[in-house]
Amino acid sequence: MIDHLPDRLDLIATAEAGRVLRGRLPVAVLERLLPVLTSGQGELQVELSLGKDAGGTRFLAGTIEGEIVLRCQRCVKDMQLPLDLEFRLGLIRDESAVDELPDSYEPLAVTAEPAIIADIIAEEVLLALPIVPLHEGSDECHAYVKAYKPLQGEQRENPFAVLAEFKQKQ
Ligand SMILES: [Zn+2]
């Protein structure tokens, strides 16, 4: 067990050697994830296990634990989302190897460049996110929707009326 997560890692070579790496990753470095978050604060606990299975498949398996903050799509306030993820990726050098990968792995294409660990973690978290994040079991969040009523007596401008007016001026 190595108590350090490097920024970049040669996945194939590390899988050949067989390693377990563990460390804390600040949410702020997960660039691909940041656009869907309302806060880049906090850290995720990440453990990565690289090796080669009995069938010769080189793999990257891991766990991600922690908490991220998203915007609830009902009340538009922050919501904490606890993460407790597991993933198991089969390392492949090109697309054609996808078919040979056992079903127990998701494919991860490996390039000649060392992989950016933060990108892999961000991708795994993105895949696990709810399509529409909503507070669960929050009365406050549900009350927010019930309290919403369109403003009374407000004249909404008809876009077609505006267009007709515009045409008359031509
Ligand atoms: Zn909510």
Side-chain angles (χ1 to χ4, degrees):
M1 176 79 75
I2 299 168
D3 267 316
H4 170 70
L5 280 183
D7 294 340
R8 286 172 167 269
L9 190 62
D10 183 332
L11 297 178
I12 297 285
T14 311
E16 283 290 340
R19 290 275 183 278
V20 177
L21 307 115
R22 183 174 63 180
R24 294 189 160 273
L25 211 52
V27 172
V29 305
L30 303 173
E31 285 178 31
R32 291 190 190 176
L33 186 61
L34 289 179
V36 303
L37 303 183
T38 57
S39 163
Q41 291 193 324
E43 285 182 327
L44 301 180
Q45 176 72 45
V46 175
E47 190 170 310
L48 302 176
S49 167
L50 293 106
K52 199 149 102 171
D53 71 11
T57 301
R58 284 172 289 214
F59 64 86
L60 164 61
T63 58
I64 305 168
E65 288 171 38
E67 200 172 69
I68 52 173
V69 186
L70 303 168
R71 176 164 286 123
C72 169
Q73 297 302 300
R74 184 160 44 210
C75 69
V76 208
K77 290 180 186 153
D78 285 355
M79 65 172 272
Q80 323 278 333
L81 185 73
L83 298 176
D84 187 1
L85 309 178
E86 274 184 47
F87 59 91
R88 197 166 176 80
L89 306 171
L91 307 178
I92 55 169
R93 286 193 192 273
D94 59 75
E95 296 285 322
S96 62
V98 171
D99 295 338
E100 293 157 29
L101 203 62
D103 289 342
S104 51
Y105 297 102
E106 293 296 323
L108 178 68
V110 177
T111 63
E113 294 286 306
I116 300 169
I117 296 296
D119 284 353
I120 295 172
I121 300 305
E123 203 63 38
E124 290 304 316
V125 174
L126 280 171
L127 286 171
L129 293 184
I131 295 167
V132 182
L134 295 171
H135 284 115
E136 278 179 37
S138 160
D139 290 343
E140 198 189 334
C141 178
H142 284 276
Y144 185 85
V145 177
K146 283 183 195 140
Y148 174 80
K149 285 197 194 84
L151 290 172
Q152 296 293 317
E154 186 180 283
Q155 286 288 333
R156 290 193 61 183
E157 210 164 306
N158 182 335
F160 295 104
V162 174
L163 189 66
E165 199 177 313
F166 176 77
K167 278 183 180 163
Q168 279 169 10
K169 284 179 187 165
Q170 297 276 305

